[in-house]
Amino acid sequence: KVAVVGAGVSGLTATKCCLDEGLEPTCFEKSQDIGGVWRFTEHIETGRPSLYASVISNTSKEMSSYSDFPYPEDFPVFLPNARFLEYLRRYAEHFSLQKHIKFGTTVTSIRKRPDFASTGQWDVVTELDGKQTLHVFDAVMVCTGNHSEPSLPLHSFPGIEKFQGQYFHSRQYKHPDLFRGKHVLVVGMGNSGVDIAVEASRVAAKVTISTSRGAWLLSRVHDHGYPWDMVFNTRLMSLIRNSLPGPLAHELINYKVNQRLNHENYGLQPEKSCPVREPVLNDDLPSYILTGRITIKPGVKEFKHNTVVFHNCPKEEPVDVVVFCTGYDVSFPFLEEAVVKVENKHASLYKYVFPTHLQRPSLAVIGLVKTLGAMMPVTEMQARWASRTFRGLCQLPPQSVMEKEVNEKKKNQVRRFGLSFDEVLKTEWVIYMDELASLIGAKPSILGLLCRDPRVALTIFFGPCTPYQYRLEGPGSWEGARQAIFTQWDRILKPTRTRVPTSSSS
């Protein structure tokens, strides 16, 4: 019996993976519906992710699909949150997941049972309508994500206590109307910060983004109009990026992103350092900077009553509203601190899934990793590995080996070859997917396929690394995987080729 905490992107696939392995999942969802971060509500619910109305996926539908359930061909290439939620509903219905979900049920406590060393079992306390219930589970999958506990380090912003305007964390943002006619400051240049700044600039008197580190800016529309991730996340490109010495690979990416626009000219250029940082996906920001709608400034030095002072900028700037896009803290309020150790917003987990120090590998954290690519296939692959580990079909290495790997990744030293990643963007997408797939025997063998099915081998090596590749062979293989790979571009082009020009008669 497996307890799954949360019915979002991670919890749904965790429930399905448990069923695939013959386990008995019970998914506890504190709200009344599935979807997690992708379910928009006008009000903010405590302990639940909060979405603004205009959110669109940053990864394309083919790269974002679960590996045995392609998106419908008529869905747009990048999905507004309502269509994303519709896909999750279809997935839950197709695999009959709803009957395994207990809605309106909050997990208040997860503790090791007294005989944990021999059984690996957990006491799970849930609350429904004010009534608490104790359950015993053989394993637990924590699928709560990290978008519920906002990080708002006001102590880092001198003078904020004197500021007379309005300020709030981006989690509270829903619609741009409150910015009408105002001077708006967005602190932080992640995806949410840039989205909010772009929306605000359509109604505000002035919008400024403050960033101390800068960021690479990518467009959803990449080379020849194709989705960025279907060009970037191929096995060939991953091999090139990770076969070059780290600084050279870094320069290659730097050169590529600066081809579209010179980041330095736009005030966006990241501070020089070798680790790869999370890029910003936005199609409007460059033109909004060019037209004066948005100004990029360095980090905030201090706030005054109704102005702000930036580093290296002596002039005070008027400001009415401040939006702090300062990220989120990792939080597991229902777990004892000793179960999952969190330091500096990061949990110490083997391959970002398993705590290293438990006597039994019966608790997994799903979806607590950021890679430069789609999250859904990553969470699914983590859940496939975890559910097979619970069954005893996959074995974890000794504790000392796991702790050594975790500590090496914490140091995040620049390797001689390949890229290293900063504290937010943890790892390369293709490499991480292949790493987990190897553990369950689902990584496609390019050489083997070259002999048996060369067309597939060439397509998956040179083309986008879509999730269907991980259903071609091994445990959990899906007979529709080959066809899904060959029709992936059809599903991308179907919603955009809505007009075919007639040939000229002259």
Side-chain angles (χ1 to χ4, degrees):
K1 292 182 178 180
V2 182
V4 178
V5 187
V9 163
S10 304
L12 290 175
T13 194
T15 303
K16 192 256 185 189
C17 290
C18 285
L19 294 170
D20 288 346
E21 293 299 337
L23 304 171
E24 295 178 34
T26 303
C27 179
F28 298 106
E29 170 56 44
K30 67 162 55 178
S31 73
Q32 298 296 334
D33 202 356
I34 66 168
V37 73
W38 287 101
R39 182 166 61 82
F40 172 76
T41 54
E42 287 288 352
H43 58 286
I44 297 166
E45 299 173 33
T46 306
R48 226 197 115 241
S50 180
L51 196 69
Y52 43 97
S54 60
V55 165
I56 295 174
S57 66
N58 282 334
T59 51
S60 64
K61 66 177 183 179
E62 288 303 296
M63 299 297 284
S64 302
S65 75
Y66 293 121
S67 59
D68 53 359
F69 194 71
Y71 277 85
E73 61 177 14
D74 61 328
F75 272 42
V77 179
F78 290 94
L79 296 127
N81 58 77
R83 301 306 295 275
F84 210 114
L85 181 59
E86 185 184 341
Y87 172 77
L88 295 179
R89 292 197 197 289
R90 292 188 184 202
Y91 180 77
E93 185 180 343
H94 183 78
F95 293 108
S96 303
L97 305 181
Q98 296 268 15
K99 62 186 178 186
H100 300 280
I101 305 173
K102 294 189 180 297
F103 292 107
T105 307
T106 303
V107 174
T108 59
S109 167
I110 298 175
R111 298 284 183 270
K112 295 179 192 173
R113 285 183 62 73
D115 57 357
F116 180 85
S118 57
T119 65
Q121 289 184 327
W122 300 85
D123 283 329
V124 177
V125 178
T126 62
E127 187 173 307
L128 173 63
D129 297 329
K131 181 186 174 185
Q132 291 200 336
T133 308
L134 173 65
H135 318 258
V136 177
F137 282 98
D138 301 303
V140 174
M141 296 171 102
V142 178
C143 305
T144 50
N146 64 331
H147 289 95
S148 301
E149 200 67 43
S151 173
L152 188 52
L154 293 178
H155 57 84
S156 303
F157 299 96
I160 190 68
E161 69 282 352
K162 302 176 200 163
F163 180 62
Q164 294 179 344
Q166 182 182 3
Y167 65 86
F168 55 88
H169 189 273
S170 57
R171 182 174 186 267
Q172 294 176 262
Y173 173 71
K174 294 291 180 181
H175 302 281
D177 306 343
L178 73 149
F179 300 131
R180 191 169 301 279
K182 303 283 182 67
H183 287 72
V184 180
L185 172 63
V186 175
V187 177
M189 199 176 166
N191 284 298
S192 295
V194 173
D195 280 355
I196 292 169
V198 164
E199 280 207 343
S201 71
R202 294 174 186 144
V203 297
K206 183 179 181 182
V207 174
T208 303
I209 297 176
S210 165
T211 173
S212 55
R213 301 198 314 173
W216 281 328
L217 183 69
L218 298 181
S219 169
R220 292 181 178 88
V221 185
H222 207 61
D223 297 348
H224 309 291
Y226 294 128
W228 76 272
D229 51 354
M230 294 186 78
V231 178
F232 187 85
N233 278 329
T234 70
R235 292 185 178 280
L236 174 63
M237 290 303 296
S238 178
L239 183 65
I240 292 171
R241 284 193 297 270
N242 289 280
S243 299
L244 296 171
L248 191 56
H250 193 272
E251 283 304 311
L252 177 68
I253 294 178
N254 201 49
Y255 168 76
K256 184 64 183 170
V257 297
N258 275 303
Q259 273 189 315
R260 176 176 166 239
L261 62 92
N262 185 318
H263 281 56
E264 203 167 332
N265 291 346
Y266 284 73
L268 302 172
Q269 184 72 20
E271 296 294 318
K272 290 190 184 299
S273 65
C274 283
V276 177
R277 290 184 176 142
E278 185 179 16
V280 171
L281 266 292
N282 194 278
D283 303 277
D284 297 317
L285 183 62
S287 63
Y288 281 32
I289 293 173
L290 282 179
T291 53
R293 287 183 171 192
I294 294 176
T295 306
I296 308 296
K297 290 282 188 178
V300 171
K301 184 178 179 183
E302 67 171 320
F303 285 98
K304 299 195 175 178
H305 291 291
N306 51 13
T307 60
V308 61
V309 181
F310 300 103
H311 287 290
N312 305 317
C313 299
K315 185 183 170 190
E316 294 180 22
E317 303 262 353
V319 60
D320 303 308
V321 183
V322 182
V323 187
F324 287 102
C325 301
T326 44
Y328 291 83
D329 290 324
V330 176
S331 173
F332 305 106
F334 45 82
L335 282 178
E336 290 176 299
E337 200 173 316
V339 175
V340 178
K341 295 170 184 169
V342 178
E343 300 172 324
N344 301 322
K345 296 191 182 183
H346 308 298
S348 296
L349 300 167
Y350 177 61
K351 302 206 183 295
Y352 310 110
V353 176
F354 285 102
T356 57
H357 58 283
L358 296 179
Q359 298 119 309
R360 298 274 175 168
S362 59
L363 183 137
V365 179
I366 308 297
L368 200 67
V369 61
K370 270 197 178 181
T371 66
L372 186 43
M375 271 303 296
M376 286 166 71
V378 170
T379 62
E380 181 188 42
M381 190 64 76
Q382 290 178 327
R384 288 175 71 182
W385 178 42
S387 55
R388 289 184 67 77
T389 302
F390 295 161
R391 281 242 2 237
L393 299 171
C394 294
Q395 303 293 326
L396 298 186
Q399 180 178 337
S400 58
V401 174
M402 292 193 288
E403 286 182 347
K404 184 181 177 187
E405 181 177 312
V406 168
N407 289 330
E408 282 177 357
K409 285 187 176 176
K410 264 189 201 170
K411 290 176 194 168
N412 199 21
Q413 295 167 328
V414 178
R415 299 191 296 274
R416 187 177 168 199
F417 286 89
L419 298 165
S420 72
F421 296 83
D422 81 345
E423 70 275 7
V424 176
L425 194 65
K426 305 277 193 186
T427 181
E428 167 95 1
W429 193 86
V430 177
I431 287 180
Y432 185 62
M433 288 287 285
D434 276 356
E435 197 176 341
L436 295 190
S438 297
L439 295 171
I440 61 176
K443 180 187 171 186
S445 165
I446 306 294
L447 288 176
L449 285 167
L450 264 177
C451 301
R452 302 191 311 272
D453 197 338
R455 187 182 166 206
V456 167
L458 294 173
T459 302
I460 68 174
F461 182 74
F462 291 103
C465 188
T466 42
Y468 324 120
Q469 297 186 15
Y470 300 102
R471 293 284 182 179
L472 285 168
E473 50 197 25
S477 59
W478 171 49
E479 60 182 16
R482 187 177 185 273
Q483 181 63 16
I485 290 168
F486 288 140
T487 54
Q488 58 198 12
W489 286 109
D490 297 335
R491 287 187 297 279
I492 286 290
L493 294 173
K494 171 77 173 177
T496 58
R497 281 186 174 171
T498 51
R499 171 188 166 268
V500 180
T502 54
S503 56
S504 174
S505 56
S506 57

